[in-house]
Amino acid sequence: MLKNKNILLGVCGSIASYKSASLTRLLVKAGANVKIIMTSEATNFITPLTLSTLSKNPVLVNYYDPESGVWNNHVELGLWADLTIIAPASANTLAKLANGLCDNLLSAAYLSAKCPVYFAPAMDLDMWKHPATQKNIDTLISNGNILIKPAYGELASGLIGEGRMAEPEEIIEFVSEEIKKKLPLRGKLALVTAGPTYEAIDPVRFIGNHSSGKMGFAIAEELSALGADVTLITGPTSLKLSDPKIHRIDITSAHEMLKASEKAFPKSAVAILSAAVADYRPAEVSDVKIKKDDSDLSLNLVKTVDILATLGKEKKAGQILVGFALETNNEEENAIAKLRKKNLDFIVLNSLRDEGAGFKNDQNKVTIIDNKLSKESFPLKSKKEVAIDICKKVLDLLS
């Protein structure tokens, strides 16, 4: 959930600021880009050098650095951030933010922020329970900020009660879950097929194609990033998934892909079939390796079951079914015929005649045609970017 997010981390003066080091490390490990603003009081508890080393960015404390002559623009910081986390949030900072005071860089960046703001209070029990603190927290929440509740336990004063800042792991989990709640495909199941199929001739040889699976893997990753629970059914490929949440099913033949797809499809809100499934398979498969001799070898081929057409017949109202068409001639005409015949919501057309696109390449050039024959053509892009375009079309249809 945090990968590639721009996160502004605010660190206030509190004994709990030592936890900011672990929080920074976890955010960076999750793939986030982290910039840190410390209040001057926070530097008494943990050094800017520590957090700068962990975040891989300079730590900001003041509006202006007299040594470098650099002006730290609070407006740019507020606009840069995808989300802001203030942890620890001291009682003093909570009071400033709730009342719009702007006497340091952190409070100024907060007032400029256009993103969700999370705050994790840390203070002693009596300070936490004080009506003024609770009023400030209520004000912050009413302004749209998100509270990460403090924990119950032993405090720095020796008292036992509420006021301990949430642990860094808990903050990461809380923020991730909050982000996930807002994702457009949250709670929806998605099916993606990818890669080639191999149709056996004998235990050694097979009929296959040059599909790498890159397009399907990129689509599966993007759907998961949008909140969907993704099942990826893939033919033989060396590709690895970066998202552990995706349920991967490895198959070899068209028949195996058919069976796995039929099982996953009924509950899927979205199915994007990008696999290059073999259209034919040998009628007979030898149990032993066929020996080479002087005569020619003839293979009797029979058609495989058309997975896309099969799911098109099973499709229910509300389901989105997407297919691919890789063509060498009469591209649009052939793609539209496939779109109609197989009951698709839209089809992704790509041509082997486009230089730099197609199998094995990291780029693709596609045209999306929907069932109303609305057409949108895209320039040559990375397959990750193409996946974003395809998923945007899915979101448009679902909305």
Side-chain angles (χ1 to χ4, degrees):
M1 293 297 103
L2 299 176
K3 188 175 182 180
N4 298 323
K5 298 286 187 186
N6 293 332
I7 297 180
L8 190 61
L9 175 61
V11 181
C12 304
S14 164
I15 188 64
S17 59
Y18 77 90
K19 294 182 180 180
S20 300
S22 296
L23 178 57
T24 302
R25 192 158 184 257
L26 289 173
L27 289 169
V28 172
K29 188 177 180 180
N33 307 309
V34 182
K35 292 184 179 180
I36 298 175
I37 301 177
M38 299 178 72
T39 63
S40 58
E41 292 82 3
T43 63
N44 294 319
F45 295 92
I46 186 170
T47 68
L49 177 61
T50 298
L51 296 181
S52 176
T53 302
L54 293 172
S55 67
K56 301 178 176 60
N57 278 309
V59 168
L60 309 178
V61 179
N62 300 308
Y63 288 107
Y64 177 72
D65 184 349
E67 293 184 5
S68 65
V70 174
W71 168 256
N72 297 316
N73 192 319
H74 59 280
V75 175
E76 289 183 0
L77 288 166
L79 295 176
W80 172 83
D82 293 317
L83 58 98
T84 296
I85 303 173
I86 302 175
S90 65
N92 182 50
T93 293
L94 292 178
K96 289 181 180 181
L97 302 185
N99 291 282
L101 298 182
C102 188
D103 64 350
N104 60 29
L105 183 59
L106 177 58
S107 58
Y110 164 78
L111 290 175
S112 299
K114 305 297 182 185
C115 61
V117 177
Y118 299 81
F119 63 101
M123 63 197 71
D124 213 81
L125 175 62
D126 293 333
M127 297 172 70
W128 168 252
K129 285 188 171 182
H130 197 282
T133 300
Q134 292 301 312
K135 181 181 179 181
N136 290 332
I137 289 170
D138 289 342
T139 298
L140 287 170
I141 292 173
S142 69
N143 289 340
N145 304 288
I146 304 163
L147 168 66
I148 303 175
K149 291 182 178 180
Y152 181 95
E154 185 176 356
L155 305 170
S157 65
L159 296 175
I160 296 176
E162 287 183 306
R164 289 170 58 95
M165 187 182 99
E167 295 301 318
E169 293 82 2
E170 296 170 338
I171 293 174
I172 294 288
E173 183 179 358
F174 181 92
V175 173
S176 296
E177 286 301 313
E178 285 294 309
I179 293 172
K180 192 172 182 180
K181 288 178 185 177
K182 299 176 176 65
L183 293 176
L185 295 181
R186 182 176 184 267
K188 295 187 182 296
L189 302 180
L191 164 65
V192 180
T193 66
T197 64
Y198 289 174
E199 309 305 324
I201 297 171
D202 62 22
V204 177
R205 303 175 181 90
F206 62 85
I207 298 172
N209 58 59
H210 297 297
S211 174
S212 65
K214 291 177 181 178
M215 191 70 256
F217 274 63
I219 292 169
E221 298 267 9
E222 178 62 17
L223 287 170
S224 182
L226 291 169
D229 296 320
V230 181
T231 296
L232 172 66
I233 303 170
T234 178
T237 176
S238 60
L239 297 178
K240 305 294 183 184
L241 287 165
S242 61
D243 188 341
K245 300 188 300 297
I246 296 173
H247 176 49
R248 174 173 175 167
I249 300 173
D250 289 282
I251 57 87
T252 301
S253 69
H255 180 72
E256 291 170 343
M257 183 170 281
L258 171 68
K259 293 303 177 186
S261 298
E262 284 187 312
K263 184 176 180 180
F265 182 65
K267 294 182 180 180
S268 298
V270 179
I272 302 179
L273 276 59
S274 68
V277 183
D279 294 321
Y280 296 91
R281 62 174 177 81
E284 296 181 1
V285 179
S286 175
D287 293 332
V288 297
K289 180 182 177 182
I290 299 172
K291 294 297 182 181
K292 181 173 67 174
D293 56 31
D294 294 333
S295 62
D296 293 334
L297 175 65
S298 296
L299 293 176
N300 181 28
L301 301 179
V302 296
K303 290 186 70 172
T304 58
V305 177
D306 190 319
I307 300 174
L308 195 55
T310 300
L311 299 189
K313 292 176 182 177
E314 298 174 358
K315 189 177 76 164
K316 300 173 184 176
Q319 283 184 302
I320 304 294
L321 180 60
V322 180
F324 275 67
L326 178 61
E327 303 292 342
T328 59
N329 61 292
N330 299 327
E331 285 95 338
E332 286 193 20
E333 180 182 340
N334 290 333
I336 291 171
K338 185 174 183 179
L339 169 77
R340 288 170 167 165
K341 182 178 180 181
K342 301 186 180 183
N343 193 25
L344 307 181
D345 291 277
F346 68 88
I347 194 163
V348 182
L349 167 63
N350 50 148
S351 172
L352 280 177
R353 295 195 292 179
D354 290 326
E355 186 176 352
F359 287 155
K360 294 188 177 179
N361 291 303
D362 292 325
Q363 296 177 307
N364 209 354
K365 183 179 180 181
V366 305
T367 296
I368 293 177
I369 306 173
D370 64 24
N371 55 12
K372 297 179 182 177
L373 300 188
S374 175
K375 181 178 71 173
E376 186 172 7
S377 297
F378 299 88
L380 188 67
K381 297 183 177 184
S382 71
K383 288 185 175 177
K384 181 177 180 179
E385 291 173 310
V386 174
I388 293 172
D389 292 332
I390 292 169
C391 292
K392 184 179 182 299
K393 181 68 174 180
V394 169
L395 292 177
D396 290 343
L397 292 178
L398 287 173
S399 63

